[in-house]
C-alpha cells in the first residue's frame, strides 16, 4: 500500500519561488565586480532569473543542456543560477582557480554551450575559449556602460540581454531527478571529474542544511557566504538562505580581511562561511586595527581542518563560535558538523576543545562508516583509523559520463579518500587524505594534526607536513613552514613548540623554511606540489 500524499516534485525553482512569495522584500546585498554596493531583493532576483530563462530558451537551450558560469558571489550570479536551473538546463559552475588547461578540459568535457562570465575573468576566458569548440556564445555579466571590448565570440551584455526579455516564463515541468548542477572536482590527481547534482539532491540538501545543527538559517539571520558559489554551491547557502528568507551579503571579487570586515560591519552580518585562510586574513586585520565584530555570532569553517589556534582566537578575543564542517564536492557538500552534544558542551572549554577540533557528526540524511582496505567495518573508538565511507541521497553515485567507473561499494557507500576516526560520541575526525598519510615503521602519522598545532606558533603563517623517504622507517615527517612577514627562526624553536602536544615518534625529523606554500583550487594546501618540491630532500642522518 502506498501513501496518499501529493506528488510535488522537489525542484530548485520552488526554492526561489518560495523566497519571492514569502520573503520577496528580503535584501541581497552585493559588492559588485564594478565596485559599488548593489542592493536587490529575492523578488527582483526571481523576476530577473525568469528573464535569463527566456533568453536561454531563445538561444535554443533546453532540458539537459549545460550552461556555465565563471563568476563571483553576486546577485547577478544568483539570477543566472536560478534562470539556468529553472528550465531544466544544467548550471555548470566553473572554478577560475583551476589551471587554464583544466578549465578548457572541463568546458569541453561538459560540452558547455553558453558561458556567463564576470568582468574579472574575461582575460582568462579569452585565453581558454579557442580550445573550447562547444561554446556558442558568452554573456558578460555587466551593464552597457561597463561592457568592455573583447575577443570573446558572440559576446552579449548581460543587462542588455535581460532588458529585451519578459518575466513571463514557466519553470519546472520536469522530474525531480532531472540534472540540475555540475561541479567538477579540483583534480588533485588526473583530470577533474564531474559531479552531477539532481534537483532532488539539491532540494534535499537544502532541507538538510536548514537543520539547526547545520546552517540553521532563518529570516533573522544576515549571512555572508565568502565560500564561492563555484565551490559546491557555496556549501548550499545559495539555496538555504533564500529558502529560509535570510538576508544575503555577497562579497563579489574582494575577500581580503578589510573588505570582509567592511561588509560585516555595514550590513550587520550574523553568520558567515569560508575556508581557514580567509578567516586568518580577517583575524589579522581585526588585530592590527583593534577592531571587533559584535554582530557575528557564529562562523562556519571548512575546506580543510581548522587549527585550534583559530578556534580559540575567535572565541577568546571576539566571542564567536566556530562551527567546523567537513564535506566534498561529491557530498553536495555537507558531510559532518562539529556541533557539540549537551554533554560535551557542558565541559570546561579547554576539555571540550578535543571535540571542537574534530569534524563532528553527520546530520540526518548522511550515513558514515569506517572500513579497512579489506572492506571490514571498523569500531567507533576514537583511535582506530579507517577509510571514511559515506552514503545518502545527497552523495554522488557516479561521475559525469562514467568517469572513474563504479565508485560505490557493495553497500552503496562512497569512499571519500579520507582516513578518519569516529569516537564513542559519534564525532568524526579526518586524520589525513589517504594519499597524504605518513607511513612510518608500519604505523600511520597524521600530517593534519601536526600542521594544525604548528600553525598555532605565533611566527607561522602556513604549515605543511609531508612524508619523505627514510631507509629504516619507510617515511618520516618533514615540517615545511612559511613564516609571517618579517619573522625568522631556527628549526628547534618550532620542534620544541610541538613537544608534549604530539607523540614523540610523530615528531618531524626536520624543518624546512619556504617563501610560499601553494594552495590548490579550493584553498587547501596543495600537498602534491609540496611533495614534488621536496622529492629529492634527504633527512639529516638518513
Amino acid at each position: 500500500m502506498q501513501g496518499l500524499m501529493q506528488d510535488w516534485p522537489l525542484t530548485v525553482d520552488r526554492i526561489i519561488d518560495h523566497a519571492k512569495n514569502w520573503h520577496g522584500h528580503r535584501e541581497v546585498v552585493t559588492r559588485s565586480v564594478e565596485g559599488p554596493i548593489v542592493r536587490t531583493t529575492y523578488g527582483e532576483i526571481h523576476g530577473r532569473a525568469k528573464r535569463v530563462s527566456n533568453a536561454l530558451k531563445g538561444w535554443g537551450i533546453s532540458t539537459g543542456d549545460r550552461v556555465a558560469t565563471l563568476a563571483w558571489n553576486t546577485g547577478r550570479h544568483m539570477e543566472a543560477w536560478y534562470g539556468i536551473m529553472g528550465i531544466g538546463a544544467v548550471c555548470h559552475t566553473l572554478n577560475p582557480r583551476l589551471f587554464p588547461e583544466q578549465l578548457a578540459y572541463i568546458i569541453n568535457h561538459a560540452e558547455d554551450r553558453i558561458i556567463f562570465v564576470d568582468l574579472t575573468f574575461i582575460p582568462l576566458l579569452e585565453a581558454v575559449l579557442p580550445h573550447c569548440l562547444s561554446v556558442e556564445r558568452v554573456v558578460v555579466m555587466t551593464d552597457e556602460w561597463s561592457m568592455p571590448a573583447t575577443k570573446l565570440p558572440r559576446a552579449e551584455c548581460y543587462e542588455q540581454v535581460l532588458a529585451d526579455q519578459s518575466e513571463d516564463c514557466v519553470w519546472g515541468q520536469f522530474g525531480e531527478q532531472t540534472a540540475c548542477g555540475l561541479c567538477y572536482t579540483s583534480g588533485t590527481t588526473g583530470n577533474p571529474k564531474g559531479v552531477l547534482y539532481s534537483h532532488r539532491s539539491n532540494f534535499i540538501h537544502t532541507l538538510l542544511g536548514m537543520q539547526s545543527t547545520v546552517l540553521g538559517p532563518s529570516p533573522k539571520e544576515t549571512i555572508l557566504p565568502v565560500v564561492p558559489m563555484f565551490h559546491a554551491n557555496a556549501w548550499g547557502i545559495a539555496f538555504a538562505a533564500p529558502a529560509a528568507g535570510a538576508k544575503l551579503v555577497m562579497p563579489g571579487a574582494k575577500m581580503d580581511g578589510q573588505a570582509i570586515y567592511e561588509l560585516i560591519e555595514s550590513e550587520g552580518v550574523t553568520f558567515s562561511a569560508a575556508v581557514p585562510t580567509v578567516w586568518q586574513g580577517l583575524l589579522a586585520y581585526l588585530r592590527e586595527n583593534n577592531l571587533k565584530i559584535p554582530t557575528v555570532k557564529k562562523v562556519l569553517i571548512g575546506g580543510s581542518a581548522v587549527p585550534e589556534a583559530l578556534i580559540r582566537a575567535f572565541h577568546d578575543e571576539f566571542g564567536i563560535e566556530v562551527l567546523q564542517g567537513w564535506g566534498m564536492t561529491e557530498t553536495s557538500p555537507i558531510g559532518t558538523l562539529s556541533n557539540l552534544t549537551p554533554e560535551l558542551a557542558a565541559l570546561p572549554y579547554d576539555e571540550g576543545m578535543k571535540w571542537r577540533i574534530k569534524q563532528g557528526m553527520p546530520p540526518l540524511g548522511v550515513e558514515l562508516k569506517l572500513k579497512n582496505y579489506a572492506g571490514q567495518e571498523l569500531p567507533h573508538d576514537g583511535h582506530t583509523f579507517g577509510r571514511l565511507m559515506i552514503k545518502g541521497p545527497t552523495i554522488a553515485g557516479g561521475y559525469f559520463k562514467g568517469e572513474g567507473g563504479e565508485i560505490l561499494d557493495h553497500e552503496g557507500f562512497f569512499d571519500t579518500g579520507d582516513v578518519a576516526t569516529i569516537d564513542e560520541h559519534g564525532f568524526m575526525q579526518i586524520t589525513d587524505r589517504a594519499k597524504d598519510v605518513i607511513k612510518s615503521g608500519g604505523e600511520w602519522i597524521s600530517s593534519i594534526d601536526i600542521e594544525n598545532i604548528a600553525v598555532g606558533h605565533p611566527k607561522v603563517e602556513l604549515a605543511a607536513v609531508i612524508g619523505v623517504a627514510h631507509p629504516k622507517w619507510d617515511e618520516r615527517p618533514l615540517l615545511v613552514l612559511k613564516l609571517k612577514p618579517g619573522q625568522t627562526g631556527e628549526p628547534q624553536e618550532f620542534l620544541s613548540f610541538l613537544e608534549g602536544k604530539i607523540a614523540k615518534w610523530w615528531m618531524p625529523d626536520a624543518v624546512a623554511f619556504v617563501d610560499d606554500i601553494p594552495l590548490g583550487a579550493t584553498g587547501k594546501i596543495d600537498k602534491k606540489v609540496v611533495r614534488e618540491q621536496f622529492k629529492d630532500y634527504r633527512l639529516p642522518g638518513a
Side-chain angles (χ1 to χ4, degrees):
M1 181 183 293
Q2 294 187 334
L4 298 175
M5 308 309 289
Q6 296 179 19
D7 184 7
W8 198 81
L10 303 180
T11 56
V12 301
D13 52 283
R14 296 181 185 272
I15 295 174
I16 199 67
D17 280 349
H18 178 83
K20 174 252 188 181
N21 291 336
W22 303 104
H23 306 285
H25 297 296
R26 193 77 65 225
E27 276 192 318
V28 176
V29 182
T30 297
R31 187 193 297 278
S32 66
V33 176
E34 293 87 351
I37 298 295
V38 176
R39 297 179 184 275
T40 185
T41 65
Y42 286 131
E44 291 168 349
I45 284 176
H46 181 275
R48 286 165 60 83
K50 290 216 166 189
R51 291 174 183 265
V52 171
S53 295
N54 278 325
L56 293 172
K57 291 169 71 175
W59 293 327
I61 298 298
S62 60
T63 304
D65 287 334
R66 273 76 71 196
V67 177
T69 63
L70 185 59
W72 300 108
N73 288 9
T74 67
R76 282 182 178 140
H77 196 175
M78 284 190 70
E79 294 162 6
W81 173 293
Y82 281 104
I84 295 164
M85 297 177 187
I87 59 171
V90 179
C91 183
H92 176 201
T93 48
L94 296 168
N95 185 344
R97 294 167 184 164
L98 293 174
F99 294 117
E101 296 80 9
Q102 290 179 316
L103 202 57
Y105 171 83
I106 66 175
I107 291 170
N108 286 324
H109 190 264
E111 300 175 87
D112 294 324
R113 292 182 58 188
I114 294 172
I115 299 178
F116 288 79
V117 62
D118 269 337
L119 292 171
T120 315
F121 303 123
I122 286 178
L124 173 60
L125 200 56
E126 286 177 337
V128 166
L129 273 197
H131 308 286
C132 304
L133 301 182
S134 65
V135 178
E136 299 166 12
R137 73 178 69 227
V138 174
V139 182
V140 181
M141 300 177 76
T142 191
D143 55 41
E144 56 188 302
W145 298 280
S146 302
M147 184 70 179
T150 174
K151 296 180 290 184
L152 293 171
R154 301 189 68 179
E156 308 264 4
C157 172
Y158 181 80
E159 291 297 338
Q160 288 181 313
V161 167
L162 265 60
D164 294 336
Q165 300 298 326
S166 164
E167 293 183 9
D168 185 13
C169 181
V170 176
W171 278 344
Q173 311 297 311
F174 43 77
E176 62 182 24
Q177 293 287 9
T178 301
C180 177
L182 179 61
C183 189
Y184 279 72
T185 63
S186 54
T188 54
T189 55
N191 287 320
K193 293 186 284 292
V195 179
L196 188 64
Y197 308 115
S198 67
H199 280 261
R200 178 178 185 271
S201 73
N202 275 338
F203 200 104
I204 291 174
H205 189 268
T206 302
L207 299 177
L208 187 153
M210 292 175 74
Q211 296 176 50
S212 62
T213 52
V214 188
L215 301 174
S218 77
K220 298 178 182 178
E221 299 287 348
T222 297
I223 302 176
L224 171 64
V226 185
V227 55
M229 292 166 71
F230 52 76
H231 282 178
N233 303 329
W235 298 348
I237 293 173
F239 293 125
K247 176 181 174 180
L248 265 180
V249 180
M250 301 296 237
K254 295 187 69 175
M255 289 175 281
D256 59 277
Q258 179 177 349
I260 296 301
Y261 169 77
E262 288 173 354
L263 286 176
I264 289 173
E265 182 68 16
S266 63
E267 301 301 327
V269 170
T270 60
F271 176 81
S272 187
V275 297
T277 49
V278 168
W279 295 122
Q280 286 162 344
L282 176 62
L283 189 62
Y285 180 77
L286 294 173
R287 285 169 168 170
E288 289 167 6
N289 295 278
N290 194 28
L291 297 170
K292 299 292 183 182
I293 43 175
T295 59
V296 177
K297 306 303 179 188
K298 183 187 293 186
V299 295
L300 173 61
I301 308 181
S304 57
V306 184
E308 179 179 334
L310 190 58
I311 297 173
R312 286 189 180 277
F314 272 111
H315 176 269
D316 296 348
E317 299 176 40
F318 302 98
I320 295 173
E321 177 188 356
V322 170
L323 178 64
Q324 182 169 184
W326 168 84
M328 46 199 312
T329 305
E330 290 90 338
T331 66
S332 296
I334 295 170
T336 63
L337 285 300
S338 65
N339 283 288
L340 299 193
T341 64
E343 297 79 10
L344 297 177
L347 295 173
Y349 188 79
D350 284 350
E351 289 184 37
M353 185 57 69
K354 175 182 176 181
W355 288 275
R356 288 183 172 89
I357 62 173
K358 295 187 178 187
Q359 283 67 53
M361 291 190 291
L364 175 66
V366 176
E367 294 182 29
L368 295 181
K369 278 187 179 182
L370 296 179
K371 292 187 177 184
N372 62 20
Y373 284 95
Q376 298 167 318
E377 194 168 340
L378 299 174
H380 296 181
D381 57 14
H383 303 291
T384 304
F385 296 81
R387 297 156 56 212
L388 182 63
M389 314 292 290
I390 192 166
K391 181 180 181 181
T394 60
I395 314 302
Y399 290 112
F400 186 47
K401 295 185 175 179
E403 299 290 333
E406 176 59 53
I407 66 172
L408 305 182
D409 71 4
H410 69 283
E411 294 182 300
F413 279 84
F414 171 73
D415 188 340
T416 66
D418 284 320
V419 176
T421 62
I422 301 176
D423 66 23
E424 64 277 13
H425 296 282
F427 268 57
M428 184 273 290
Q429 184 171 24
I430 301 292
T431 58
D432 244 319
R433 292 291 291 168
K435 61 182 178 293
D436 293 336
V437 71
I438 299 167
K439 303 170 183 68
S440 181
E443 301 289 344
W444 287 358
I445 297 174
S446 169
S447 66
I448 292 175
D449 283 355
I450 303 173
E451 290 164 357
N452 285 346
I453 295 169
V455 81
H457 191 289
K459 292 183 178 180
V460 174
E461 181 172 320
L462 287 173
V465 174
I466 60 171
V468 295
H470 190 280
K472 180 178 180 181
W473 302 112
D474 187 22
E475 288 184 326
R476 291 295 300 160
L478 170 67
L479 175 59
V480 182
L481 297 177
K482 176 187 178 182
L483 300 183
K484 293 177 180 177
Q487 296 290 348
T488 60
E490 295 297 322
Q492 189 55 48
E493 174 184 356
F494 302 98
L495 295 176
S496 297
F497 183 75
L498 297 174
E499 288 179 357
K501 301 181 179 75
I502 59 175
K504 288 184 177 180
W505 67 276
W506 280 26
M507 189 65 68
D509 281 22
V511 177
F513 299 100
V514 293
D515 294 331
D516 196 22
I517 292 179
L519 302 180
T522 55
K524 302 176 187 177
I525 291 172
D526 195 333
K527 289 284 186 73
K528 70 179 186 297
V529 176
V530 178
R531 283 193 291 266
E532 178 65 21
Q533 183 180 353
F534 288 91
K535 65 180 180 180
D536 297 323
Y537 186 87
R538 294 292 177 264
L539 291 167

